[in-house]
mmCIF file of all heavy atoms in Angstrom:
data_model
loop_
_atom_site.group_PDB
_atom_site.id
_atom_site.type_symbol
_atom_site.label_atom_id
_atom_site.label_comp_id
_atom_site.label_asym_id
_atom_site.label_seq_id
_atom_site.Cartn_x
_atom_site.Cartn_y
_atom_site.Cartn_z
ATOM 1 N N VAL A 344 -153.557 14.426 26.954
ATOM 2 C CA VAL A 344 -153.354 13.035 27.362
ATOM 3 C C VAL A 344 -151.929 12.665 27.060
ATOM 4 O O VAL A 344 -151.426 12.864 25.942
ATOM 5 C CB VAL A 344 -154.311 12.052 26.616
ATOM 6 C CG1 VAL A 344 -153.953 10.658 26.932
ATOM 7 C CG2 VAL A 344 -155.756 12.429 26.914
ATOM 8 N N CYS A 345 -151.212 12.098 28.044
ATOM 9 C CA CYS A 345 -149.858 11.618 27.860
ATOM 10 C C CYS A 345 -149.895 10.113 27.936
ATOM 11 O O CYS A 345 -149.909 9.554 29.024
ATOM 12 C CB CYS A 345 -148.925 12.218 28.866
ATOM 13 S SG CYS A 345 -148.819 14.040 28.748
ATOM 14 N N ALA A 346 -149.953 9.432 26.773
ATOM 15 C CA ALA A 346 -150.020 7.981 26.688
ATOM 16 C C ALA A 346 -148.839 7.458 25.945
ATOM 17 O O ALA A 346 -148.949 6.949 24.846
ATOM 18 C CB ALA A 346 -151.364 7.561 26.017
ATOM 19 N N THR A 347 -147.666 7.611 26.596
ATOM 20 C CA THR A 347 -146.437 7.249 25.956
ATOM 21 C C THR A 347 -145.445 6.816 26.997
ATOM 22 O O THR A 347 -145.498 7.288 28.105
ATOM 23 C CB THR A 347 -145.860 8.453 25.133
ATOM 24 O OG1 THR A 347 -144.522 8.117 24.680
ATOM 25 C CG2 THR A 347 -145.784 9.695 25.926
ATOM 26 N N PRO A 348 -144.560 5.916 26.626
ATOM 27 C CA PRO A 348 -143.548 5.493 27.578
ATOM 28 C C PRO A 348 -142.320 6.450 27.594
ATOM 29 O O PRO A 348 -141.257 6.074 28.097
ATOM 30 C CB PRO A 348 -143.155 4.096 27.075
ATOM 31 C CG PRO A 348 -143.304 4.183 25.649
ATOM 32 C CD PRO A 348 -144.517 5.055 25.441
ATOM 33 N N ALA A 349 -142.464 7.620 27.093
ATOM 34 C CA ALA A 349 -141.354 8.585 27.073
ATOM 35 C C ALA A 349 -140.743 8.820 28.437
ATOM 36 O O ALA A 349 -141.423 8.820 29.423
ATOM 37 C CB ALA A 349 -141.821 9.934 26.506
ATOM 38 N N GLU A 350 -139.432 8.923 28.485
ATOM 39 C CA GLU A 350 -138.694 9.160 29.701
ATOM 40 C C GLU A 350 -138.302 10.595 29.892
ATOM 41 O O GLU A 350 -137.809 10.976 30.938
ATOM 42 C CB GLU A 350 -137.514 8.219 29.768
ATOM 43 C CG GLU A 350 -137.928 6.745 29.803
ATOM 44 C CD GLU A 350 -136.743 5.819 29.789
ATOM 45 O OE1 GLU A 350 -135.594 6.253 29.746
ATOM 46 O OE2 GLU A 350 -137.010 4.590 29.808
ATOM 47 N N GLU A 351 -138.478 11.360 28.867
ATOM 48 C CA GLU A 351 -138.110 12.803 28.962
ATOM 49 C C GLU A 351 -139.389 13.600 28.916
ATOM 50 O O GLU A 351 -140.438 13.176 28.454
ATOM 51 C CB GLU A 351 -137.295 13.240 27.691
ATOM 52 C CG GLU A 351 -135.948 12.451 27.581
ATOM 53 C CD GLU A 351 -134.993 12.754 28.705
ATOM 54 O OE1 GLU A 351 -134.983 13.965 29.134
ATOM 55 O OE2 GLU A 351 -134.289 11.859 29.151
ATOM 56 N N PRO A 352 -139.387 14.896 29.433
ATOM 57 C CA PRO A 352 -140.582 15.711 29.378
ATOM 58 C C PRO A 352 -141.082 15.863 27.941
ATOM 59 O O PRO A 352 -140.279 15.962 27.024
ATOM 60 C CB PRO A 352 -140.098 17.018 29.947
ATOM 61 C CG PRO A 352 -138.910 16.731 30.765
ATOM 62 C CD PRO A 352 -138.238 15.526 30.083
ATOM 63 N N LEU A 353 -142.401 15.845 27.804
ATOM 64 C CA LEU A 353 -143.021 15.895 26.508
ATOM 65 C C LEU A 353 -143.211 17.340 26.041
ATOM 66 O O LEU A 353 -143.244 17.598 24.827
ATOM 67 C CB LEU A 353 -144.303 15.183 26.524
ATOM 68 C CG LEU A 353 -144.260 13.671 26.826
ATOM 69 C CD1 LEU A 353 -145.667 13.112 27.069
ATOM 70 C CD2 LEU A 353 -143.545 12.924 25.732
ATOM 71 N N PHE A 354 -143.393 18.259 26.981
ATOM 72 C CA PHE A 354 -143.638 19.643 26.677
ATOM 73 C C PHE A 354 -143.378 20.511 27.896
ATOM 74 O O PHE A 354 -143.349 19.980 29.006
ATOM 75 C CB PHE A 354 -145.088 19.888 26.136
ATOM 76 C CG PHE A 354 -146.134 19.340 27.064
ATOM 77 C CD1 PHE A 354 -146.620 20.168 28.060
ATOM 78 C CD2 PHE A 354 -146.595 18.040 26.956
ATOM 79 C CE1 PHE A 354 -147.611 19.658 28.939
ATOM 80 C CE2 PHE A 354 -147.546 17.564 27.797
ATOM 81 C CZ PHE A 354 -148.070 18.382 28.803
ATOM 82 N N SER A 355 -143.241 21.809 27.691
ATOM 83 C CA SER A 355 -142.987 22.714 28.761
ATOM 84 C C SER A 355 -144.359 23.055 29.400
ATOM 85 O O SER A 355 -145.394 23.156 28.749
ATOM 86 C CB SER A 355 -142.393 23.971 28.237
ATOM 87 O OG SER A 355 -142.462 24.976 29.161
ATOM 88 N N ALA A 356 -144.354 23.174 30.715
ATOM 89 C CA ALA A 356 -145.585 23.573 31.403
ATOM 90 C C ALA A 356 -146.108 24.911 30.916
ATOM 91 O O ALA A 356 -147.338 25.137 30.944
ATOM 92 C CB ALA A 356 -145.339 23.644 32.921
ATOM 93 N N ASP A 357 -145.236 25.787 30.461
ATOM 94 C CA ASP A 357 -145.642 27.058 29.918
ATOM 95 C C ASP A 357 -146.573 26.914 28.694
ATOM 96 O O ASP A 357 -147.370 27.803 28.449
ATOM 97 C CB ASP A 357 -144.416 27.922 29.535
ATOM 98 C CG ASP A 357 -143.599 28.332 30.729
ATOM 99 O OD1 ASP A 357 -144.106 28.310 31.859
ATOM 100 O OD2 ASP A 357 -142.416 28.624 30.558
ATOM 101 N N ALA A 358 -146.440 25.840 27.990
ATOM 102 C CA ALA A 358 -147.236 25.611 26.818
ATOM 103 C C ALA A 358 -148.701 25.382 27.155
ATOM 104 O O ALA A 358 -149.570 25.635 26.335
ATOM 105 C CB ALA A 358 -146.713 24.439 25.990
ATOM 106 N N VAL A 359 -149.010 24.923 28.340
ATOM 107 C CA VAL A 359 -150.366 24.578 28.678
ATOM 108 C C VAL A 359 -150.958 25.464 29.814
ATOM 109 O O VAL A 359 -152.162 25.427 30.048
ATOM 110 C CB VAL A 359 -150.568 23.112 29.037
ATOM 111 C CG1 VAL A 359 -150.367 22.230 27.846
ATOM 112 C CG2 VAL A 359 -149.679 22.704 30.182
ATOM 113 N N CYS A 360 -150.137 26.191 30.501
ATOM 114 C CA CYS A 360 -150.599 27.029 31.604
ATOM 115 C C CYS A 360 -151.243 28.281 31.068
ATOM 116 O O CYS A 360 -150.665 29.024 30.342
ATOM 117 C CB CYS A 360 -149.434 27.359 32.560
ATOM 118 S SG CYS A 360 -148.792 25.950 33.436
#
Side-chain angles (χ1 to χ4, degrees):
V344 174
C345 299
T347 170
E350 295 177 0
E351 300 294 324
L353 299 169
F354 54 89
S355 165
D357 294 338
V359 293
C360 292

